[in-house]
Amino acid sequence: LKLPHLCTQAATGHLCRTEMAAAGGEATAGETSGDAAPKKPGRKNSKEVGEIIDELALETKRTTLLDRIESQLKERQQVSRMLVGFNCADDKKVQKALDQEFQNWRQQPSNDAVSGVLIFASVVGLHLLEGPTELIFKALELMHTLSAEAKEGEDATATEKSDALLSGIRILHFTELHGVRVARSWTSMSHPGKAVGGAQTQMEDANCHELVFAAYKKLLVLCLKVAKLLDPDEDVDTASLQKNYKKAADDLPSMDEVLILLGKTSFDYFFSYAEFKKVFIAPFQLVLHSELLWPMAPALSY
């Protein structure tokens, strides 16, 4: 008698599931299959999760001072400059002979890359050299071979001290890696001014660099003005150079300034040729402190 009732309940349950499916409802996994495992929650899409980026952890190219210097020097021709002072006789023959020595030296292959101006100021002189570093060193060596100091070192039977054209070489200023050449060529000239005297500035340890740079700056301005007076499309000869330097002679350091730079006390503040060669030209020997400490010295034995 109870069987019809069971069938009625089963039919009723089937109808309920059918109605739920028709109404848009879904049966759970437990309702459809009691033996199936429960469904695990799915992994969310990575695009939906905001990714956190640490800017400090990223490897980025940073600009350094060396990079800036390299960009300024890359694919550019650099020149060095040197300002040399010396003593010489106030004699036209000596000045002409010194000029001729440098003219002959510049006629050698590749030596014409050195430009500048040689200024005779009474019993002293200033020589501004500009060009590749190695050629400037060779020009300085040429000046040394013409000096009395070099003649004293040679055999007295081979040369005489009277052959010296200059003496007391002092390197006042030396600088490298310049991208602008101020002098078109090389020539010499005599300073048109005269020493006024009066209250002069005394060279001291505190102001020697200022006096040198003031004279060096005036020579650069002088060379730039002469370069503007020359035709950039024509070859420069010695006569036109000397003519234009005389026109712009007002920009020269005064005679008093030159005499202060190259006075007797200047030997105490500037390199001589031997000192400059030892520091900048001659090969140097580097000895580390570790090499002095190891291997250890043997124990003393009595």
Side-chain angles (χ1 to χ4, degrees):
L1 295 174
K2 293 181 179 181
L3 289 176
H5 176 70
L6 293 174
C7 294
T8 305
Q9 287 182 347
T12 305
H14 176 72
L15 290 174
C16 292
R17 292 188 182 95
T18 305
E19 291 176 357
M20 289 176 63
E26 293 183 355
T28 61
E31 293 174 341
T32 56
S33 176
D35 298 335
K39 187 177 180 181
K40 296 180 180 180
R43 186 177 182 181
K44 294 183 179 180
N45 192 352
S46 60
K47 294 183 178 179
E48 297 178 358
V49 180
E51 185 178 0
I52 300 176
I53 301 175
D54 188 2
E55 296 181 355
L56 297 178
L58 296 177
E59 184 177 358
T60 57
K61 182 177 177 57
R62 300 182 180 182
T63 304
T64 62
L65 178 60
L66 293 178
D67 295 333
R68 292 301 185 187
I69 295 176
E70 184 180 4
S71 63
Q72 295 178 2
L73 302 179
K74 191 175 182 180
E75 298 179 357
R76 294 186 181 182
Q77 185 179 6
Q78 293 88 33
V79 295
S80 302
R81 299 192 190 108
M82 180 182 293
L83 182 61
V84 186
F86 58 91
N87 300 333
C88 64
D90 190 8
D91 188 352
K92 295 294 184 182
K93 293 182 179 180
V94 174
Q95 297 175 2
K96 186 176 180 180
L98 189 56
D99 176 89
Q100 191 62 42
E101 288 286 347
F102 270 89
Q103 293 287 3
N104 297 338
W105 180 81
R106 291 187 72 252
Q107 291 177 2
Q108 299 178 10
S110 72
N111 287 351
D112 57 349
V114 175
S115 59
V117 58
L118 174 61
I119 301 170
F120 297 105
S122 183
V123 294
V124 296
L126 284 176
H127 197 178
L128 176 65
L129 296 167
E130 186 179 39
T133 303
E134 297 300 326
L135 287 181
I136 287 183
F137 288 165
K138 291 182 179 180
L140 181 63
E141 184 180 0
L142 174 64
M143 293 184 65
H144 175 67
T145 58
L146 302 175
S147 66
E149 291 79 10
K151 302 300 182 183
E152 291 176 357
E154 296 177 355
D155 189 1
T157 59
T159 58
E160 296 180 0
K161 188 175 179 180
S162 59
D163 296 336
L165 299 177
L166 52 92
S167 63
I169 295 178
R170 285 147 298 199
I171 291 80
L172 307 179
H173 189 71
F174 175 62
T175 177
E176 296 180 289
L177 300 177
H178 293 279
V180 178
R181 185 186 286 268
V182 297
R184 283 280 302 273
S185 184
W186 185 92
T187 189
S188 64
M189 64 175 296
S190 297
H191 199 298
K194 294 182 179 180
V196 179
Q200 295 184 358
T201 304
Q202 297 295 328
M203 179 174 290
E204 298 175 353
D205 211 8
N207 65 349
C208 62
H209 63 284
E210 297 177 355
L211 297 175
V212 169
F213 190 78
Y216 167 74
K217 182 179 179 180
K218 288 183 178 181
L219 291 177
L220 295 186
V221 173
L222 171 68
C223 293
L224 288 172
K225 287 189 176 181
V226 171
K228 290 182 179 180
L229 296 175
L230 298 171
D231 192 346
D233 299 329
E234 294 183 358
D235 295 334
V236 181
D237 56 351
T238 304
S240 61
L241 270 176
Q242 292 180 346
K243 180 180 179 180
N244 287 285
Y245 271 109
K246 290 180 180 179
K247 289 182 180 179
D250 293 338
D251 295 308
L252 280 170
S254 65
M255 184 70 76
D256 292 330
E257 292 175 346
V258 176
L259 293 176
I260 292 174
L261 281 178
L262 302 178
K264 294 181 179 180
T265 59
S266 63
F267 289 98
D268 300 331
Y269 302 105
F270 305 115
F271 276 131
S272 64
Y273 173 77
E275 295 169 341
F276 184 86
K277 181 180 179 180
K278 182 180 180 181
V279 175
F280 291 94
I281 304 176
F284 62 92
Q285 294 181 354
L286 178 62
V287 179
L288 301 177
H289 287 287
S290 58
E291 297 179 3
L292 300 176
L293 298 176
W294 189 265
M296 297 179 64
L300 297 178
S301 58
Y302 297 95

